[in-house]
Amino acid sequence: MIGNEFGRVNIEIDWGTGLDTLRATGCKLAVACAEYGIVLDGAHRALFDARATGRLLFAVADAFSRACFPVAAKPLRHTLPRRVLTRDGVTEINVDTPYLASLARGVHADVDIASYAILLDRAIADLQLTGEERHELAELATELGLDDQGRERAHREFLDGMIDAALEDGVVTEDELDQLCRAAALLELDANLVTRRTNPYRLVPEPIALEAGLVVCFTGAALDDFGNQIDRESVLEVEAQQHGLLPIDQFRKACGLVIAADTASESKKVREARRLGVPVASVADYRTALRTGRPVIATKAVSNGVALVCTECGASWMAMRRSSKPVCTSCRGGSTPRVSGPDESSVVISMKPVVSQQPPAIQTLECSQCNRTWERPRSRGRRPLRCPTCAATETASAHQD
Ligand SMILES: [Zn+2]
Ligand SMILES: [Zn+2]
C-alpha cells in the first residue's frame, strides 16, 4: 500500500531486507510495547506506530542475526504523476478544490523532501492547515533534518510546481489565482511569488490620456526604429516635460504610468507597478500616443485581494485587505462576538468551507481486466478502469521493458 502511494508520486522504492519486530516479539505492537515499557500514544496513527516500532527495534535488536539492507528510494522520470489524497478521516475528496488537487498532481519533489511534499499535499488540499497538520509537518521536517531554510525551500518548490501547472494552459482564472494565493498564504510564502508569475496572464488594457501633470516613470533601455538606444535623460524625459508630464527617477505609488522598454520585463519598476496596479505602457506605444495626442493603451494588473489564514482554525480565504490577526467567519460565529478588533475591517469576499462533513461514501467499481469488483471512497474525476492489483501488475511490467 505504501509502495502504491510512493508510486503515485513517482518514487520507486527498493524495500531492501528489513528486520521484522513482529517476528522477533511474536506479538502485536501494542502488546510488545507494553512488554518492553515503550509508550505508545496515538496508536494506529502511522507516525506514532512507526516511532514506537523504531523504539521496539532497538529494544529487541539482539534477536536478529542476519544482515539487513536499508530501503532505497529513487524518483521515476517521464511518468505521469498521480494524486495522493488520503487525509485521515476525510475519505470524501473535497469537491470545491478540484483545481488545486489537479495542480498538486504536477508537483515533483526532490527525494530528500518527497515525504514532506506528500504530507504537505495532503494537508493543504482543502486550503486549510489545521494546528494538528502544522504540528505534523513540523515534526516530519525535524525528522528529515529540514531546518527553517530547508522547509521554506520545500514550500517554494511545492508552490512553484503548482504555479507551473496553472500556467501550462496559458490561462489563469480568478478562481485559480485565488487558490494559488491561498496556498501561498498557507505555506507562509509571499503572494508576490504567485502574482509576479501570473500577472502576465491577468493584465487588462487601460487607456491613459497623456495629460499635463501625469507622473510618469521610465524603465529599461529603449531602442528607436534603427536599434539605437534612446537616451532617457536627454530625450525621453525632455520630451515628457515638453508635454507637461512629470517624469520621476524612482518609482513611487503616485506614479500614474510606467513606460517600459519591455513591458514584459521583470524590472523592479514594472514589478512594483504590477503589484500596485499602476498601468504600464511600452515606449513605442507611448511615443506614438504623444505624437497623435490619443490616449496610450497601457495594461495593468487587477488585484485579487489578499489571502488570509484564520489564526484559530487555519482556514484560508480572500479578503480586500490585510489583517494582523485574521479570524474566519465560522470561528467568529462560534465564539462570543468581539467588540472590536484589528480584523473587523477586513471584508470577506469568499469563504469556502471545503472539507465535507458527510460520512464517507464508498463506491463499488468493476475491473475491466479481471472483472472482480473492489471498493473505494467515492471521489471526483475519472474512475479507474482496472482494479489496484491489475493496475499494479501493468505498471510493474511496463517498468521491466
Ligand atoms: Zn477559523
Ligand atoms: Zn483487476
Side-chain angles (χ1 to χ4, degrees), residues 211-248:
E211 287 164 347
L214 178 72
V215 178
V216 297
C217 186
F218 292 95
T219 176
L223 303 178
D224 64 17
D225 291 344
F226 305 102
N228 301 315
Q229 191 172 329
I230 311 169
D231 190 71
R232 189 181 298 173
E233 222 169 285
S234 68
V235 180
L236 291 175
E237 296 193 350
V238 170
E239 199 176 62
Q241 278 156 354
Q242 283 166 353
H243 285 81
L245 307 179
L246 307 171
I248 52 171

Short mmCIF file of all heavy atoms in Angstrom, two decimals, residues 211-248:
data_model
loop_
_atom_site.label_atom_id
_atom_site.label_comp_id
_atom_site.label_asym_id
_atom_site.label_seq_id
_atom_site.Cartn_x
_atom_site.Cartn_y
_atom_site.Cartn_z
N GLU A 211 -2.05 63.54 -20.20
CA GLU A 211 -2.37 64.93 -19.88
C GLU A 211 -1.32 65.55 -18.98
O GLU A 211 -0.62 64.85 -18.26
CB GLU A 211 -3.75 64.98 -19.19
CG GLU A 211 -4.89 64.73 -20.16
CD GLU A 211 -6.20 64.40 -19.46
OE1 GLU A 211 -6.16 64.12 -18.25
OE2 GLU A 211 -7.23 64.42 -20.13
N ALA A 212 -1.24 66.88 -19.03
CA ALA A 212 -0.28 67.59 -18.20
C ALA A 212 -0.49 67.21 -16.74
O ALA A 212 -1.62 67.08 -16.28
CB ALA A 212 -0.45 69.10 -18.38
N GLY A 213 0.61 67.01 -16.03
CA GLY A 213 0.52 66.68 -14.61
C GLY A 213 0.62 65.19 -14.33
O GLY A 213 0.78 64.79 -13.17
N LEU A 214 0.52 64.37 -15.38
CA LEU A 214 0.63 62.92 -15.19
C LEU A 214 2.07 62.56 -14.80
O LEU A 214 3.02 62.95 -15.47
CB LEU A 214 0.24 62.18 -16.48
CG LEU A 214 0.35 60.65 -16.45
CD1 LEU A 214 -0.75 60.04 -15.59
CD2 LEU A 214 0.30 60.07 -17.87
N VAL A 215 2.22 61.84 -13.70
CA VAL A 215 3.55 61.43 -13.24
C VAL A 215 3.93 60.14 -13.98
O VAL A 215 3.19 59.15 -13.94
CB VAL A 215 3.56 61.20 -11.71
CG1 VAL A 215 4.93 60.72 -11.25
CG2 VAL A 215 3.16 62.47 -10.98
N VAL A 216 5.07 60.18 -14.67
CA VAL A 216 5.50 59.00 -15.42
C VAL A 216 6.89 58.57 -14.97
O VAL A 216 7.66 59.35 -14.42
CB VAL A 216 5.52 59.26 -16.95
CG1 VAL A 216 4.13 59.57 -17.46
CG2 VAL A 216 6.51 60.35 -17.31
N CYS A 217 7.20 57.31 -15.21
CA CYS A 217 8.49 56.76 -14.79
C CYS A 217 8.98 55.84 -15.91
O CYS A 217 8.23 54.96 -16.36
CB CYS A 217 8.28 55.99 -13.49
SG CYS A 217 9.79 55.38 -12.76
N PHE A 218 10.22 56.05 -16.38
CA PHE A 218 10.76 55.23 -17.46
C PHE A 218 11.58 54.08 -16.90
O PHE A 218 12.24 54.22 -15.87
CB PHE A 218 11.65 56.08 -18.37
CG PHE A 218 10.87 57.11 -19.15
CD1 PHE A 218 10.75 58.43 -18.67
CD2 PHE A 218 10.25 56.77 -20.34
CE1 PHE A 218 10.03 59.37 -19.39
CE2 PHE A 218 9.52 57.72 -21.06
CZ PHE A 218 9.42 59.02 -20.58
N THR A 219 11.57 52.97 -17.61
CA THR A 219 12.42 51.85 -17.19
C THR A 219 12.91 51.08 -18.40
O THR A 219 12.23 50.99 -19.42
CB THR A 219 11.68 50.90 -16.22
OG1 THR A 219 12.52 49.78 -15.91
CG2 THR A 219 10.40 50.35 -16.82
N GLY A 220 14.10 50.56 -18.29
CA GLY A 220 14.67 49.76 -19.37
C GLY A 220 15.36 50.61 -20.43
O GLY A 220 15.20 51.83 -20.46
N ALA A 221 16.14 49.97 -21.27
CA ALA A 221 16.86 50.67 -22.33
C ALA A 221 16.04 50.61 -23.61
O ALA A 221 15.98 49.58 -24.28
CB ALA A 221 18.23 50.03 -22.54
N ALA A 222 15.37 51.73 -23.93
CA ALA A 222 14.50 51.75 -25.10
C ALA A 222 15.32 51.99 -26.37
O ALA A 222 16.29 52.74 -26.36
CB ALA A 222 13.46 52.85 -24.94
N LEU A 223 14.92 51.31 -27.44
CA LEU A 223 15.60 51.47 -28.71
C LEU A 223 14.68 52.14 -29.72
O LEU A 223 13.46 51.94 -29.68
CB LEU A 223 16.02 50.10 -29.25
CG LEU A 223 16.90 49.24 -28.34
CD1 LEU A 223 17.19 47.89 -28.99
CD2 LEU A 223 18.19 49.96 -27.98
N ASP A 224 15.25 52.92 -30.61
CA ASP A 224 14.43 53.53 -31.67
C ASP A 224 14.30 52.56 -32.84
O ASP A 224 14.81 51.44 -32.80
CB ASP A 224 15.00 54.89 -32.09
CG ASP A 224 16.38 54.76 -32.72
OD1 ASP A 224 16.76 53.63 -33.12
OD2 ASP A 224 17.09 55.79 -32.81
N ASP A 225 13.66 53.02 -33.91
CA ASP A 225 13.41 52.14 -35.06
C ASP A 225 14.69 51.60 -35.68
O ASP A 225 14.69 50.59 -36.36
CB ASP A 225 12.61 52.89 -36.13
CG ASP A 225 11.20 53.15 -35.65
OD1 ASP A 225 10.78 52.50 -34.65
OD2 ASP A 225 10.50 54.00 -36.23
N PHE A 226 15.81 52.32 -35.47
CA PHE A 226 17.07 51.90 -36.07
C PHE A 226 17.92 51.08 -35.11
O PHE A 226 19.07 50.77 -35.38
CB PHE A 226 17.85 53.13 -36.55
CG PHE A 226 17.04 53.99 -37.48
CD1 PHE A 226 16.44 55.17 -37.03
CD2 PHE A 226 16.83 53.59 -38.80
CE1 PHE A 226 15.68 55.93 -37.88
CE2 PHE A 226 16.06 54.37 -39.65
CZ PHE A 226 15.47 55.54 -39.20
N GLY A 227 17.35 50.75 -33.94
CA GLY A 227 18.09 49.94 -32.98
C GLY A 227 19.05 50.74 -32.12
O GLY A 227 19.84 50.17 -31.38
N ASN A 228 18.98 52.06 -32.22
CA ASN A 228 19.84 52.88 -31.36
C ASN A 228 19.12 53.17 -30.05
O ASN A 228 17.91 53.41 -30.04
CB ASN A 228 20.19 54.21 -32.03
CG ASN A 228 20.90 53.98 -33.35
OD1 ASN A 228 21.81 53.15 -33.44
ND2 ASN A 228 20.45 54.68 -34.39
N GLN A 229 19.90 53.18 -28.97
CA GLN A 229 19.28 53.44 -27.68
C GLN A 229 18.81 54.89 -27.58
O GLN A 229 19.50 55.81 -27.99
CB GLN A 229 20.28 53.12 -26.56
CG GLN A 229 19.58 53.13 -25.20
CD GLN A 229 20.48 52.63 -24.09
OE1 GLN A 229 21.35 51.79 -24.32
NE2 GLN A 229 20.26 53.14 -22.90
N ILE A 230 17.59 55.04 -27.06
CA ILE A 230 17.06 56.39 -26.87
C ILE A 230 17.46 56.85 -25.47
O ILE A 230 17.10 56.21 -24.49
CB ILE A 230 15.51 56.40 -26.97
CG1 ILE A 230 15.06 55.66 -28.24
CG2 ILE A 230 14.98 57.83 -26.96
CD1 ILE A 230 13.56 55.39 -28.28
N ASP A 231 18.22 57.91 -25.38
CA ASP A 231 18.71 58.35 -24.08
C ASP A 231 17.55 58.84 -23.21
O ASP A 231 16.71 59.62 -23.66
CB ASP A 231 19.75 59.47 -24.24
CG ASP A 231 20.41 59.75 -22.90
OD1 ASP A 231 21.20 58.91 -22.45
OD2 ASP A 231 20.09 60.80 -22.30
N ARG A 232 17.53 58.34 -22.01
CA ARG A 232 16.41 58.66 -21.13
C ARG A 232 16.41 60.13 -20.72
O ARG A 232 15.41 60.84 -20.86
CB ARG A 232 16.45 57.78 -19.88
CG ARG A 232 15.19 57.89 -19.03
CD ARG A 232 15.27 57.03 -17.80
NE ARG A 232 15.38 55.62 -18.13
CZ ARG A 232 15.60 54.65 -17.24
NH1 ARG A 232 15.75 54.96 -15.97
NH2 ARG A 232 15.68 53.40 -17.62
N GLU A 233 17.58 60.56 -20.22
CA GLU A 233 17.64 61.91 -19.66
C GLU A 233 17.49 63.01 -20.71
O GLU A 233 16.71 63.93 -20.55
CB GLU A 233 18.97 62.07 -18.92
CG GLU A 233 18.83 62.80 -17.58
CD GLU A 233 20.11 62.69 -16.78
OE1 GLU A 233 20.37 61.60 -16.22
OE2 GLU A 233 20.86 63.67 -16.75
N SER A 234 18.24 62.84 -21.81
CA SER A 234 18.28 63.94 -22.79
C SER A 234 17.14 63.86 -23.79
O SER A 234 16.80 64.86 -24.41
CB SER A 234 19.63 63.94 -23.52
OG SER A 234 19.70 62.78 -24.34
N VAL A 235 16.53 62.70 -23.96
CA VAL A 235 15.46 62.60 -24.95
C VAL A 235 14.09 62.35 -24.31
O VAL A 235 13.20 63.18 -24.36
CB VAL A 235 15.76 61.50 -26.00
CG1 VAL A 235 14.63 61.41 -27.03
CG2 VAL A 235 17.09 61.74 -26.67
N LEU A 236 13.95 61.19 -23.67
CA LEU A 236 12.65 60.77 -23.16
C LEU A 236 12.10 61.74 -22.11
O LEU A 236 10.94 62.14 -22.17
CB LEU A 236 12.72 59.35 -22.59
CG LEU A 236 12.95 58.24 -23.62
CD1 LEU A 236 13.12 56.89 -22.94
CD2 LEU A 236 11.78 58.18 -24.60
N GLU A 237 12.93 62.08 -21.14
CA GLU A 237 12.45 62.95 -20.07
C GLU A 237 12.17 64.36 -20.56
O GLU A 237 11.20 65.00 -20.14
CB GLU A 237 13.42 62.93 -18.88
CG GLU A 237 13.50 61.52 -18.27
CD GLU A 237 14.19 61.45 -16.91
OE1 GLU A 237 14.80 62.47 -16.48
OE2 GLU A 237 14.13 60.38 -16.30
N VAL A 238 13.01 64.83 -21.46
CA VAL A 238 12.81 66.18 -22.01
C VAL A 238 11.50 66.22 -22.81
O VAL A 238 10.67 67.11 -22.64
CB VAL A 238 14.00 66.58 -22.91
CG1 VAL A 238 13.70 67.87 -23.68
CG2 VAL A 238 15.26 66.74 -22.07
N GLU A 239 11.31 65.19 -23.62
CA GLU A 239 10.10 65.04 -24.43
C GLU A 239 8.85 65.02 -23.53
O GLU A 239 7.85 65.67 -23.81
CB GLU A 239 10.21 63.72 -25.19
CG GLU A 239 9.33 63.52 -26.38
CD GLU A 239 9.68 62.18 -27.05
OE1 GLU A 239 9.52 61.13 -26.41
OE2 GLU A 239 10.13 62.23 -28.20
N ALA A 240 8.95 64.27 -22.44
CA ALA A 240 7.82 64.17 -21.50
C ALA A 240 7.51 65.53 -20.89
O ALA A 240 6.34 65.95 -20.83
CB ALA A 240 8.14 63.16 -20.40
N GLN A 241 8.58 66.22 -20.46
CA GLN A 241 8.39 67.54 -19.84
C GLN A 241 7.76 68.53 -20.81
O GLN A 241 6.91 69.34 -20.43
CB GLN A 241 9.72 68.08 -19.30
CG GLN A 241 10.06 67.49 -17.94
CD GLN A 241 11.55 67.51 -17.63
OE1 GLN A 241 12.37 67.88 -18.48
NE2 GLN A 241 11.91 67.12 -16.42
N GLN A 242 8.15 68.42 -22.08
CA GLN A 242 7.59 69.32 -23.09
C GLN A 242 6.07 69.14 -23.22
O GLN A 242 5.36 70.05 -23.61
CB GLN A 242 8.27 69.09 -24.45
CG GLN A 242 9.65 69.72 -24.52
CD GLN A 242 10.46 69.20 -25.71
OE1 GLN A 242 10.02 68.28 -26.41
NE2 GLN A 242 11.63 69.77 -25.93
N HIS A 243 5.60 67.94 -22.89
CA HIS A 243 4.16 67.68 -22.96
C HIS A 243 3.48 67.86 -21.62
O HIS A 243 2.34 67.46 -21.43
CB HIS A 243 3.90 66.26 -23.49
CG HIS A 243 4.13 66.14 -24.96
ND1 HIS A 243 5.39 65.98 -25.53
CD2 HIS A 243 3.27 66.18 -26.00
CE1 HIS A 243 5.29 65.91 -26.84
NE2 HIS A 243 4.01 66.03 -27.16
N GLY A 244 4.21 68.43 -20.67
CA GLY A 244 3.62 68.72 -19.36
C GLY A 244 3.60 67.54 -18.42
O GLY A 244 3.02 67.61 -17.33
N LEU A 245 4.21 66.42 -18.84
CA LEU A 245 4.25 65.25 -17.95
C LEU A 245 5.35 65.44 -16.92
O LEU A 245 6.27 66.23 -17.11
CB LEU A 245 4.51 63.97 -18.76
CG LEU A 245 3.57 63.71 -19.94
CD1 LEU A 245 3.95 62.44 -20.67
CD2 LEU A 245 2.11 63.66 -19.49
N LEU A 246 5.25 64.69 -15.81
CA LEU A 246 6.22 64.82 -14.73
C LEU A 246 7.02 63.54 -14.56
O LEU A 246 6.61 62.63 -13.85
CB LEU A 246 5.51 65.15 -13.40
CG LEU A 246 4.56 66.36 -13.42
CD1 LEU A 246 3.77 66.44 -12.13
CD2 LEU A 246 5.36 67.65 -13.65
N PRO A 247 8.18 63.45 -15.27
CA PRO A 247 8.98 62.22 -15.14
C PRO A 247 9.69 62.14 -13.78
O PRO A 247 10.17 63.15 -13.28
CB PRO A 247 10.00 62.34 -16.27
CG PRO A 247 10.03 63.77 -16.65
CD PRO A 247 8.77 64.43 -16.18
N ILE A 248 9.68 60.94 -13.18
CA ILE A 248 10.40 60.72 -11.92
C ILE A 248 11.39 59.57 -12.12
O ILE A 248 11.17 58.69 -12.94
CB ILE A 248 9.45 60.40 -10.74
CG1 ILE A 248 8.49 59.26 -11.09
CG2 ILE A 248 8.67 61.64 -10.34
CD1 ILE A 248 7.68 58.74 -9.93
#
